[in-house]
Amino acid sequence: MNVKSITINIEEYGADEALSNADSALLAKAEEALKGSYAPYSEFHVGAAVKLANGETVLGSNQENAAYPSGMCAERVALFHAQSTFPGVPVLAVAITARSDRFTTTYPVTPCGACRQVMAEVEKGQKEVIRVVMRGDEGITQAVVGIDQLLPMLFHEEKLKKVNHL
Ligand code: THU
């Protein structure tokens, strides 16, 4: 038996450390997206901004529902919106931020597993890797380059292809 280790790389920027203009601008858009959040149940508002290769920025925010599983995360709202509005245009970056009505978010909000899987599907369909930038109300900012950094050992479509026929 072997134990295999996987290393992921997370860029961390201190609260008063300067971000690149591109990261700051996209995080500002994610904050703007918070205005559209509908989160009466969790009172946790998430905003996402997707930067596309054609220069467009598409926003999304979490949309909750009284039947809880019918709701949708900010990241998937933004990515599906981007893909349906600009089909085939590569996604270069996604910025994510969050605000709670009840507490200060002092750590970056990281995407849930389902959103990571959707990001992986988007990245698989393009040449460009996706940069994901994450921040809360205050504290550090984190960034990763490539969805394999967020979702190692992911399920992808090659696994649907049968090589052995019975
Ligand atoms: N949520 C997101 O929108 N994105 C995430 O990355 C994590 C969670 C939303 C779903 C739900 O509306 C609320 O945050 C609490 O889980």
Side-chain angles (χ1 to χ4, degrees):
M1 193 269 282
N2 271 330
V3 175
K4 233 175 142 176
S5 300
I6 300 175
T7 304
I8 62 162
N9 297 307
I10 306 165
E11 297 171 23
E12 281 198 352
Y13 301 87
D16 29 350
E17 200 175 336
L19 299 175
S20 71
N21 288 343
D23 283 357
S24 312
L26 203 57
L27 279 166
K29 288 283 183 191
E31 272 176 41
E32 196 184 312
L34 287 171
K35 290 186 209 138
S37 161
Y38 176 68
Y41 305 104
S42 70
E43 299 180 334
F44 190 76
H45 307 276
V46 184
V50 171
K51 184 78 188 170
L52 298 175
N54 64 0
E56 296 280 348
T57 302
V58 177
L59 308 186
S61 53
N62 56 331
Q63 302 297 318
E64 295 186 350
N65 192 282
Y68 290 5
S70 302
M72 181 60 69
C73 293
E75 296 91 322
R76 274 177 289 162
V77 169
L79 284 166
F80 291 153
H81 182 195
Q83 289 198 300
S84 48
T85 312
F86 301 104
V89 178
V91 170
L92 303 182
V94 181
I96 309 160
T97 193
R99 292 278 171 290
S100 169
D101 293 338
R102 288 176 284 140
F103 56 89
T104 303
T105 50
T106 55
Y107 208 73
V109 61
T110 52
C112 79
C115 289
R116 293 175 195 213
Q117 186 71 38
V118 168
M119 290 175 188
E121 180 87 12
V122 173
E123 194 178 66
K124 202 99 183 86
Q126 62 185 44
K127 292 190 309 292
E128 297 79 353
V129 289
I130 301 175
R131 177 174 180 80
V132 182
V133 189
M134 300 153 281
R135 191 170 72 190
D137 284 309
E138 57 184 48
I140 62 164
T141 298
Q142 291 180 323
V144 295
V145 178
I147 305 307
D148 53 339
Q149 303 299 302
L150 287 172
L151 192 60
M153 291 182 72
L154 84 168
F155 180 82
H156 51 76
E157 53 101 21
E158 278 85 13
K159 298 199 171 142
L160 292 172
K161 290 181 186 144
K162 293 192 176 69
V163 280
N164 298 318
H165 295 278
L166 296 175

